Amino acid sequence: MPEATARGMVPTLNSKGFMSTSLDPVSAAFAAFSGQCDGLSLDLGCAYGIATLAALDNGADVVACDMELGHVQVLRDQVPVDRSDSLRTVVAEMPRLAFAPGTFSAVLCSRALHFLQGHDVEETVRRIAAWLAPSGKVFLIADTPYTGFWAAGAEDYERRKAEDHPWPGFIADVTVFLPDTARSKGNMRFLNPMDPDVLARVCRDAGLTVEHAAFSGRPDQPDARTHAGVIASKPS
């Protein structure tokens, strides 16, 4: 695993983002809830598996999924021998992955949905809703338009949201905001930052009941609205 930055962010192997070395409130809630579940939990877009490891520590059985094989290999190397039978890993890309209906009691998708276009976000959450068992919960975290380089477009985002645009934070060309030093061959061409209202809407459209929708922040950021988090449940 690469070295973490001074801000506690570890760059991904495919240059598509970073994994935080600390759990945000929604990811921590996933880890705690997973430990209380009888069924399987899914960490979708797990990166190096910080949330997976926390869930395993709490006694959960976890399927960890990421698009990058190197990430799940790093994760497996960190799992204690006595918990290795409680982890299964899958290499796949959203939304093109499938599990049987009702497979999971808990699903986390942390800081990955904003790499998808709107229709793929909706498809991914619809699939998650189908994979959840009755009374299961989904835990979603996305980057917002108020963080990092994208904060420069926050005013446009708010204007589009006021106009009822379904994806007001969508950035068709991220290079508009990135300095040359922040560009790499692995960068996504587009980005889709979201706020809690957008995530909550997608969950409701998928038939889920939203229990929590809020911003959260990192102490190194000037704006406390770094992340959008939603927890939603499937009707029993």
Side-chain angles (χ1 to χ4, degrees):
M1 187 167 64
E3 292 283 333
T5 68
R7 297 186 293 113
M9 304 297 289
V10 183
T12 59
L13 297 177
N14 52 18
S15 301
K16 293 187 183 299
F18 294 83
M19 184 196 78
S20 173
T21 55
S22 60
L23 293 179
D24 62 85
V26 172
S27 295
F30 162 79
F33 183 77
S34 294
Q36 302 167 3
C37 294
D38 293 329
L40 282 172
S41 296
L42 171 65
D43 187 357
L44 185 57
C46 64
Y48 304 108
I50 183 173
T52 291
L53 293 170
L56 290 171
D57 284 345
N58 288 335
D61 293 318
V62 184
V63 176
C65 177
D66 199 87
M67 66 187 295
E68 173 62 50
L69 174 61
H71 293 164
V72 297
Q73 290 174 330
V74 170
L75 168 58
R76 283 200 164 277
D77 289 343
Q78 299 178 86
V79 177
V81 174
D82 63 345
R83 296 296 293 143
S84 60
D85 289 345
S86 297
L87 174 67
R88 180 163 70 93
T89 56
V90 176
V91 178
E93 188 171 350
M94 298 183 294
R96 294 181 291 279
L97 71 165
F99 296 100
T103 297
F104 300 108
S105 296
V107 177
L108 171 69
C109 187
S110 176
R111 302 191 64 239
L113 289 175
H114 54 263
F115 292 116
L116 303 179
Q117 296 196 48
H119 58 87
D120 284 335
V121 175
E122 293 166 344
E123 177 64 20
T124 297
V125 176
R126 281 195 297 267
R127 292 189 181 210
I128 290 173
W131 303 336
L132 281 174
S135 300
K137 295 188 179 185
V138 59
F139 302 77
L140 303 177
I141 304 99
D143 283 5
T144 74
Y146 300 106
T147 185
F149 300 114
W150 330 121
E155 186 175 335
D156 286 338
Y157 155 77
E158 291 175 351
R159 174 183 54 78
R160 289 193 294 267
K161 184 176 180 180
E163 295 170 350
D164 291 327
H165 194 291
W167 300 100
F170 184 74
I171 303 168
D173 181 4
V174 298
T175 62
V176 171
F177 295 101
L178 291 178
D180 291 342
T181 54
R183 299 178 189 180
S184 74
K185 292 182 179 179
N187 282 138
M188 293 290 291
R189 176 177 55 82
F190 61 85
L191 201 74
N192 198 7
M194 303 172 213
D195 68 10
D197 293 338
V198 171
L199 280 178
R201 184 201 76 225
V202 174
C203 286
R204 293 188 186 100
D205 288 348
L208 300 170
T209 300
V210 174
E211 299 180 354
H212 167 88
F215 287 106
S216 63
R218 294 203 316 261
D220 61 293
Q221 292 285 332
D223 194 311
R225 297 172 294 177
T226 307
H227 298 130
V230 163
I231 301 173
S233 60
K234 187 170 183 174
S236 57

